[in-house]
Amino acid sequence: MTSSSSLFLLFLSLSSISLSLSSRIYPLIEEPIKPVSRISPFDTSNYGKLQLNNGLARTPQMGWNSWNFFACNINEKVIKETADALISTGLADLGYIYVNIDDCWHSLLRNLKGELKPDPKTFPSGIKAVADYIHSKGLKLGIYSDAGIFTCQVRPGSLYHENDDAELFASWGVDYLKYDNCFNLGIKPEERYPPMRDALNSTGHSIFYSICEWGVDDPALWAGSVGNSWRTTDDISDTWVSMTTIADLNDKWASYAGPGGWNDPDMLEVGNGGMTYQEYRAHFSIWALMKAPLLIGCDVRNMTAETFEILSNEEVIAVNQDPLGVQGRKVSVAENEGCSQVWAGPLSGNQLVVALWNRCSQSVTVTAKWGVLGLDESTSVSVRDLWKHENLAENVAGSFGARLDSHDCKMYIFTPATYSSVM
């Protein structure tokens, strides 16, 4: 989603501008919930630290975003039809409530008052009319801008226009802002992103603040008091290599997520055609386990049955939306080229979510041993398969494993009959 080389040359004469494009491949609330898990492998030392106190994001955001499938080919008809599809398919009832318009919604220039204006060809009714339609469906509307002088597709950005733009978004009824990182004049993100936080908060209208600075300055270390989520990686693409690389990068920051603010490894590619069913199922499983935002990136008006099956798995969604809000992480990698991986995390009620993931091209047996899960060897658990929707076993102790096909992922809930932890 970076601008083209010709556009780069067009603006090269603005020598003071740092064109930060290459990395983009493309009210008060209660104190945060304190984790009750006694599982030692899951570091929660930074849990809830400095989380933005604006009453939003108690669980990771869910919804849809236009970029991964439509890119700049968006218009108000697509947005409205997408809202209709979220309702008719039942996805909205499962929690997918944000309908987020990404880049290219607005004109190349501000109006004579210095305001952002919708592209009259693609959004002739204006954004407020679209927001009104979305709200009439019981959904929420998201918009896109940039913490730079231009967006990545060279529309006007919001740098130095934060107060005016925030007031405009609020007047339209916008509920969510994705705030990007292109054309940023070389100013550190720690300086550019807080002004929009303050501007949004000053409107008196609740707007979810999604920071998209691509993990450049390790936002997990500072963005908790600034945004409701923060991108930890470059843009995802619809490939196995991209998805797995991004999962590993996001895993590093697991201890910083919690109610109010979440690590964001970018949107879902499920249903866009670049990966297999097994790979998409792994993608969705790991994103849910990592408490990542679940933002659908395909055309929900034309989903396959397999795509819908993945996106509508209520048991996996429940893992993502668990009120404890502790990000699961990679806890074990076997010495077989990294093929056999175990990812896990604590849930409310002293349960555990455990994902067995085959990262290689041949079938392997992946085993979760109690030690890496923080369970005493004597602890017995019941095991429920979240993709088969069935209880598999009772009184399992010591370890649990399964044979997995290439790139497949199996996901389970472990419920201890007796519970003790490794100290």
Side-chain angles (χ1 to χ4, degrees), residues 87-152:
I87 298 296
S88 64
T89 59
L91 289 172
D93 290 336
L94 297 179
Y96 296 100
I97 61 170
Y98 286 106
V99 181
N100 294 344
I101 307 170
D102 211 282
D103 205 350
C104 303
W105 63 268
H106 50 325
S107 297
L108 294 174
L109 297 173
R110 291 174 178 267
N111 65 20
L112 295 178
K113 296 180 180 179
E115 298 172 331
L116 297 174
K117 57 180 182 179
D119 187 324
K121 294 181 180 179
T122 53
F123 289 89
S125 302
I127 299 301
K128 187 180 186 306
V130 176
D132 289 345
Y133 184 87
I134 300 300
H135 293 155
S136 75
K137 302 292 182 177
L139 302 174
K140 296 180 182 295
L141 181 72
I143 206 74
Y144 167 99
S145 192
D146 192 288
I149 62 168
F150 301 109
T151 71
C152 297

Side-chain angles (χ1 to χ4, degrees), residues 2-13 19 21 153-154 183:
T2 56
S3 58
S4 67
S5 58
S6 60
L7 287 171
F8 177 82
L9 292 173
L10 176 63
F11 292 101
L12 190 58
S13 60
L19 305 183
L21 300 180
Q153 296 299 308
V154 203
F183 293 95

Side-chain angles (χ1 to χ4, degrees), residues 57-58 108 123 194 234 256 274 317 325 391 396 402 419:
R58 302 308 293 165
L108 294 174
F123 289 89
D234 281 343
Y256 290 88
I317 292 171
N391 297 323
V396 178
Y419 194 90

Side-chain angles (χ1 to χ4, degrees), residues 62 86 89-96 268 270 277 280-281 284 294 296 298 300 303-318 386-387 389:
M62 295 177 61
L86 290 173
T89 59
L91 289 172
D93 290 336
L94 297 179
Y96 296 100
L268 295 167
V270 178
Y277 170 77
Y280 280 140
R281 187 167 65 180
F284 193 70
L294 297 183
I296 298 170
C298 69
V300 296
M303 289 183 293
T304 66
E306 286 186 344
T307 295
F308 179 75
E309 176 198 345
I310 292 171
L311 296 174
S312 65
N313 188 319
E314 294 185 53
E315 295 190 71
V316 177
I317 292 171
L386 301 189
W387 286 106
H389 304 293

Side-chain angles (χ1 to χ4, degrees), residues 34 37 54 95 97 120 133 150 165 174 221 234 358 381 388:
K34 301 300 182 184
S37 172
N54 66 353
I97 61 170
Y133 184 87
F150 301 109
D165 291 355
V174 168
L221 300 178
D234 281 343
N358 177 6
V381 304
K388 290 184 176 180

Side-chain angles (χ1 to χ4, degrees), residues 222-261:
W222 54 266
S225 60
V226 181
N228 295 117
S229 65
W230 45 88
R231 278 278 296 280
T232 55
T233 71
D234 281 343
D235 285 10
I236 194 171
S237 59
D238 189 17
T239 67
W240 170 256
V241 171
S242 173
M243 184 269 288
T244 54
T245 298
I246 282 177
D248 292 339
L249 290 170
N250 190 65
D251 181 54
K252 174 182 178 180
W253 305 108
S255 69
Y256 290 88

Side-chain angles (χ1 to χ4, degrees), residues 24-227:
R24 189 158 197 240
I25 300 172
Y26 213 63
L28 294 180
I29 57 174
E30 70 277 6
E31 288 298 311
I33 303 168
K34 301 300 182 184
V36 298
S37 172
R38 294 175 287 153
I39 301 176
S40 58
F42 307 110
D43 174 20
T44 56
S45 60
N46 297 297
Y47 176 92
K49 187 180 291 184
L50 299 175
Q51 302 297 259
L52 183 59
N53 201 15
N54 66 353
L56 301 174
R58 302 308 293 165
T59 58
Q61 65 267 39
M62 295 177 61
W64 174 88
N65 180 283
S66 62
W67 185 258
N68 283 1
F69 184 84
F70 291 97
C72 276
N73 297 316
I74 53 171
N75 55 60
E76 61 184 57
K77 181 174 183 288
V78 166
I79 302 305
K80 291 178 178 180
E81 288 180 351
T82 295
D84 294 341
L86 290 173
I87 298 296
S88 64
T89 59
L91 289 172
D93 290 336
L94 297 179
Y96 296 100
I97 61 170
Y98 286 106
V99 181
N100 294 344
I101 307 170
D102 211 282
D103 205 350
C104 303
W105 63 268
H106 50 325
S107 297
L108 294 174
L109 297 173
R110 291 174 178 267
N111 65 20
L112 295 178
K113 296 180 180 179
E115 298 172 331
L116 297 174
K117 57 180 182 179
D119 187 324
K121 294 181 180 179
T122 53
F123 289 89
S125 302
I127 299 301
K128 187 180 186 306
V130 176
D132 289 345
Y133 184 87
I134 300 300
H135 293 155
S136 75
K137 302 292 182 177
L139 302 174
K140 296 180 182 295
L141 181 72
I143 206 74
Y144 167 99
S145 192
D146 192 288
I149 62 168
F150 301 109
T151 71
C152 297
Q153 296 299 308
V154 203
R155 271 66 171 176
S158 292
L159 186 65
Y160 305 132
H161 293 271
E162 291 89 353
N163 290 326
D164 290 342
D165 291 355
E167 287 290 345
L168 185 64
F169 297 150
S171 72
W172 289 341
V174 168
D175 306 293
Y176 186 113
L177 174 64
K178 176 182 174 182
Y179 205 43
D180 219 335
N181 196 35
C182 286
F183 293 95
N184 58 44
L185 302 183
I187 304 170
K188 290 178 68 64
E190 295 95 320
E191 299 175 24
R192 288 181 291 108
Y193 283 90
M196 182 56 83
R197 169 203 59 192
D198 298 339
L200 293 173
N201 288 344
S202 70
T203 67
H205 178 68
S206 294
I207 299 178
F208 190 106
Y209 188 26
S210 172
I211 293 174
C212 184
E213 72 79 84
W214 322 320
V216 173
D217 269 21
D218 298 337
L221 300 178
W222 54 266
S225 60
V226 181

